[in-house]
Structures are given as structure tokens and as C-alpha cells.
Amino acid sequence: MITLTAATMAGVASAGTVGAPLLALKISSTLLFSAATGMLLIMNKIQPSQLAEEQRNATRLFKQLYSQIRTALALRDPTALDVKDAMEKTLALDKAYPLPLLGKMIEKFPENFEPAVWWPKTQGSPRKQHKTQGKNGCSGDLEEEMREVIEVIKRKDSEDYMRLGNLALKVNKILAISGPLLTGIAAAGSAFVGHGSWAAIVAVTAGALASTVNTFEHGGQIGMVVEMYRNCAGFFTLMEESIETSIQQRDFEKSEDGEMLEMNVALKLGRSLSQLRDLARKSSSSHADGSTIDEFASKLF
């Protein structure tokens, strides 16, 4: 509204106005354009919509961690390892989502789009040697199924969100630079209204373009979209790491453990067990045929 008002004043000032009214309109228009430029510089640096999405995700993840700790306390007496694990998760989450405007904010315009990482990195450990045949005779099949699921997540879900995230980040960068630049040009043009028609044309045109750019950027919540893609890409990265760690460390000779892992993965991907197995079979078949699977692993995002 400030930009539109300033552009209107610049247009009115160029319509044959002289004397004190011309000066008043010129000064008002220039001041409004300058104020809009300053406000946009601050808003585009902070990205309020992205901050809101960051804190929404942080609140959800902290509540999830709180529930996990309460569940662990209800099931058994905590050990030193449980305390260490909870502390590592809390610190990792706090580092991933710092409070806005306090300390170091998350970089809003990084060089490259990266998934959000809110979990502590697991320490590398030697892989346990698993037997290919467990009690129920399917531990080898289960491991193969989980590896096919990981492959689909990497090739379809993660790749798609990384592509969309990079695109949204580039668009946001262009809009964040264009908005203040256009209002700055409009402010300079409005200062010379009355010294030729070009000044009014520059002021009004740049002001109108700035209004369009700012409406698209902040009305379209582009910063929030970038953070949404960053969080979704992080979710799939966590899924990949969790499944890989479970495959490496879990004792598949216990059929209950294998079934629990399979059910956990299916629930997180929004699938039934039969749908998860079908997905693994399709992925395996696509490798044999040399084709690309046309289905995403997750049905939630």
C-alpha cells in the first residue's frame, strides 16, 4: 500500500502540478518510496513467513521429543545412555531451529539448498554380520525390501524436494533483491518529477513493478515454501538414515523386530504393509527392466 500510494503521488505530481503542491507531492512520494525500500530490506532479510514456518516445525519436533522422553520414562528407569541420547537430540534440535532474531538465525539465502537436519548424526559403527535366514525365514528378504524403499526415497521423493527447494530458493532470492531495488529506483525517479516526463515514468513504472514483486513474494509466502521444502527434504533424509541404521544394527533373527521396523516405515510413509511391499517389488522390477519407477515412496507429502 505504501508503494502504490507513492506511485500514485508521483503520477499526480507529473500531471501539470506546479508550485507548492508539486513540491509536497514530490517529497511525500520520495519519502514513501524510501520508507518502503527500508522496510523491504529488513523484511527480505528476516523473511517473516519462513521464520513462522521454522518455529512451527521446531514446536512440533520439541513436542515429539518431549513425548518420546515421557514414554521412555514410563517404560523403564532411564540409564546414562538414555540421558545422553536425549541431550544430544535436544541440542541438535536447538541448533537446527534457533530462536528468531536471537543469536544466529538460519541463513535465509544460502548458496545451495540443503535439507534441514534436526537430529544428531549417528556415530559410524562396524556393521554387524546378519544371517540371511532368521526364525521366520525372511530376514534377508526384509533387508532387501528396506534397501529398495531407501532407493525409491532417494531417487523420487528426496530428489523431487531438492529440485523444488532449489527452484523456490532461486525465485525467492530474485524477488528479495528486485523489490527493494525497484522501490529505490522509484524513489530516485520521484525526486526528479517536474524535470521531464522520464522521471514520472520511471517512478510510476518502478513503483508498480515493485508492488507486483512484493505482493508475489510476501503474499505468496515464498519463504515459507522454501522452509517447507527444506523440512520435507530433511524428513526423507532422516528416513534414509534411520532405515540404514536399523538394517545395520538390528538383530533380524528376531522376527518381531523386523516386523516392527517394516510397520514403522510403512506408517511414516503413509502406506499399509502390503503397499510397502508392492513398492519394493516395483522398485526391484524397475532395476531389472532398466526403467524408472513412476511412484513416490511417501503418500503423505
Side-chain angles (χ1 to χ4, degrees), residues 195-261:
H195 297 279
S197 60
W198 63 269
I201 293 172
V202 168
V204 174
T205 303
L209 288 173
S211 296
T212 304
V213 168
N214 297 329
T215 299
F216 183 71
E217 180 186 7
H218 296 289
Q221 305 286 291
I222 306 299
M224 183 202 69
V225 173
V226 172
E227 183 59 27
M228 181 188 70
Y229 286 144
R230 200 175 75 92
N231 185 69
C232 290
F235 169 80
F236 290 117
T237 302
L238 178 59
M239 281 286 297
E240 293 171 26
E241 291 187 11
S242 299
I243 296 172
E244 189 65 38
T245 301
S246 297
I247 291 174
Q248 292 179 2
Q249 297 180 354
R250 191 178 294 273
D251 182 7
F252 283 113
E253 290 186 353
K254 297 178 180 178
S255 60
E256 295 84 358
D257 287 345
E259 291 170 1
M260 186 64 69
L261 171 63

Side-chain angles (χ1 to χ4, degrees), residues 95-150:
K95 182 180 179 181
Y97 295 102
L99 288 175
L101 304 181
L102 297 176
K104 184 180 179 183
M105 290 192 305
I106 295 175
E107 177 58 46
K108 299 301 185 293
F109 301 102
E111 290 294 327
N112 299 303
F113 179 81
E114 296 289 343
V117 179
W118 61 84
W119 61 92
K121 289 297 182 179
T122 55
Q123 299 296 322
S125 58
R127 179 171 177 170
K128 293 181 180 180
Q129 297 296 321
H130 300 299
K131 296 179 181 179
T132 57
Q133 184 89 5
K135 277 185 179 180
N136 60 352
C138 66
S139 61
D141 293 338
L142 178 59
E143 181 171 345
E144 184 62 29
E145 177 188 329
M146 289 296 103
R147 292 198 180 280
E148 290 296 342
V149 172
I150 291 175

Side-chain angles (χ1 to χ4, degrees), residues 6-48:
T8 303
M9 286 183 171
V12 172
S14 66
T17 308
V18 294
L22 172 63
L23 180 62
L25 288 170
K26 282 174 55 177
I27 292 175
S28 298
S29 178
T30 303
L31 288 175
L32 285 174
F33 275 130
S34 299
T37 303
M39 291 173 64
L40 284 172
L41 286 171
I42 295 172
M43 284 186 65
N44 291 348
K45 174 65 177 175
I46 296 174
Q47 292 290 306

